[in-house]
Amino acid sequence: MNRIDRLTGMILLLQSHRVITAEQIAEHYELSVRTVYRDLAALGEAGVPIVAEAGVGYSLMRGYHMPPVMFTEHEATALFMSGEVTEQVADGSLRDSLRSALLKVRSVLPKERHEPLTRLKQTVGVWLSRSRPEDPQRVLMPLQQAVASKRCVSLRYNAGGRGDVTARTVEPLGMMYYAREWHLIAYCRLRQDFRDFRLDRVVDWAVLPDTFTGHEDFCVRTFLAEAINSHELLPATVVFAPSVMERVRREMPCGGAVEETLPDGRVRIEMLLWSQDWFAGWILSFGRHAELLHPPGLRQHLRTLALQVAESHA
């Protein structure tokens, strides 16, 4: 990125934040903090009203807005490609807003760039299988707005999917999409702790008029990483046929796995597990192309499951 584009982008970055530190700008552009200081000084000399708050960060003077900028061909293409992916993981409330936003992007592009985007739409597709039909109770936009406006949410939650439904009032702090499901990360007033709520296990919910304060230092990504690391991990060893290794690497349910190619071409993998039940079903899905060697207890559990499957198809 040349300096002119970076300075323009820096204005937009300042415009999109109430306040931002030099360190955050440096991380965004992968620059040194010293370079950021030079760029901010250059913008100030060019007449951009940047306000510096000691110990807080930088912001644009209230009321200042940069005129709309034109998207480059690569930027517009990236936005439309991202839209194709988002269509597959978003619900109706988000898809409608996404389509409206992309239509506005398209409207500011020169006419000669419309045809390539139309051709892109017709020739590029993303397909991610959905596990179940959309549920009106799993509408994302109101929950997303509750996170942004710090409004409490009441919900009835089927903990662990076991049918044990409890009523909760939570303070929503973030939403994450992982393991093929949307999750609401929130502070649960019932449990007096932070919790991860899978939306497919929420029986019903409502955004409340009550607001909440606090949790300024809470980080959703850090919470999820710590939650995963806090599980008691179980070492396991599996041998896979080479024909399924592409799928194995794509769906690997854990990190830090160690691979070893055996003389017969099969691949031996040592890994750490945090969900034995899910792992057992995953290994069974490979049929004769996977063999669990260790641990013995999980190997016996896998054998029992396989026999139950066989009996149900007798």
Side-chain angles (χ1 to χ4, degrees), residues 24-287:
Q24 289 172 323
I25 297 173
E27 181 180 0
H28 181 85
Y29 287 106
E30 298 182 350
L31 302 170
S32 68
V33 175
R34 180 176 297 181
T35 300
V36 170
Y37 288 146
R38 286 200 298 264
D39 285 351
L40 290 172
L43 289 173
E45 292 172 0
V48 178
I50 298 176
V51 179
E53 301 179 58
V56 179
Y58 297 88
S59 61
L60 288 177
M61 183 179 293
R62 181 171 297 182
Y64 176 85
H65 287 282
M66 186 176 178
V69 297
M70 183 63 64
F71 292 99
T72 67
E73 183 177 352
H74 288 168
E75 289 170 343
T77 300
L79 284 171
F80 276 84
M81 289 291 288
S82 300
E84 288 297 308
V85 176
T86 306
E87 283 263 353
Q88 301 301 318
V89 298
D91 71 339
S93 65
L94 292 182
R95 282 197 296 271
D96 289 344
S97 296
L98 174 66
R99 290 166 183 163
S100 175
L102 290 178
L103 183 61
K104 292 177 181 178
V105 171
R106 189 185 183 98
S107 70
V108 300
L109 293 176
K111 296 296 183 182
E112 62 269 18
R113 292 186 182 169
H114 286 195
E115 184 178 347
L117 288 178
T118 300
R119 189 161 56 249
L120 181 70
K121 180 75 174 177
Q122 295 171 343
T123 57
V124 174
V126 177
W127 179 258
L128 302 175
S129 60
R130 290 194 178 93
S131 57
R132 58 184 63 82
E134 287 190 9
D135 185 337
Q137 285 297 335
R138 299 171 66 213
V139 178
L140 300 176
M141 185 64 78
L143 288 177
Q144 185 182 48
Q145 292 172 339
V147 172
S149 59
K150 288 195 167 185
R151 292 179 61 184
C152 297
V153 173
S154 67
L155 54 83
R156 292 196 304 130
Y157 190 65
N158 181 8
R162 298 183 296 269
D164 181 18
V165 178
T166 56
R168 319 278 186 102
T169 296
V170 303
E171 300 172 2
L173 301 172
M175 297 184 66
M176 296 286 285
Y177 182 85
Y178 70 92
R180 301 182 182 180
E181 289 292 346
W182 278 99
H183 296 243
L184 175 67
I185 312 301
Y187 179 82
C188 178
R189 292 181 175 178
L190 176 66
R191 304 303 185 199
Q192 296 288 294
D193 202 356
F194 300 103
R195 288 289 188 267
D196 177 351
F197 298 98
R198 274 179 47 172
L199 292 193
D200 62 317
R201 292 178 179 172
V202 174
V203 178
D204 55 56
W205 58 269
V207 178
L208 302 175
D210 305 340
T211 59
F212 63 91
T213 58
H215 314 305
E216 283 79 8
D217 297 331
F218 181 81
C219 175
V220 171
R221 290 179 174 82
T222 301
F223 168 76
L224 288 175
E226 291 176 349
I228 292 174
N229 292 335
S230 66
H231 282 78
E232 183 177 352
L233 301 179
L234 177 71
T237 304
V238 188
V239 175
F240 293 96
S243 60
V244 299
M245 281 308 301
E246 181 179 352
R247 178 190 162 195
V248 170
R249 295 188 182 103
R250 185 175 65 248
E251 300 178 357
M252 187 76 71
C254 58
V258 178
E259 296 185 19
E260 176 190 359
T261 301
L262 302 177
D264 61 2
R266 295 187 302 164
V267 180
R268 171 191 171 105
I269 300 183
E270 296 181 357
M271 59 187 75
L272 295 174
L273 313 178
W274 63 274
S275 177
Q276 296 184 47
D277 290 338
W278 185 92
F279 180 75
W282 185 66
I283 290 296
L284 278 179
S285 70
F286 289 94

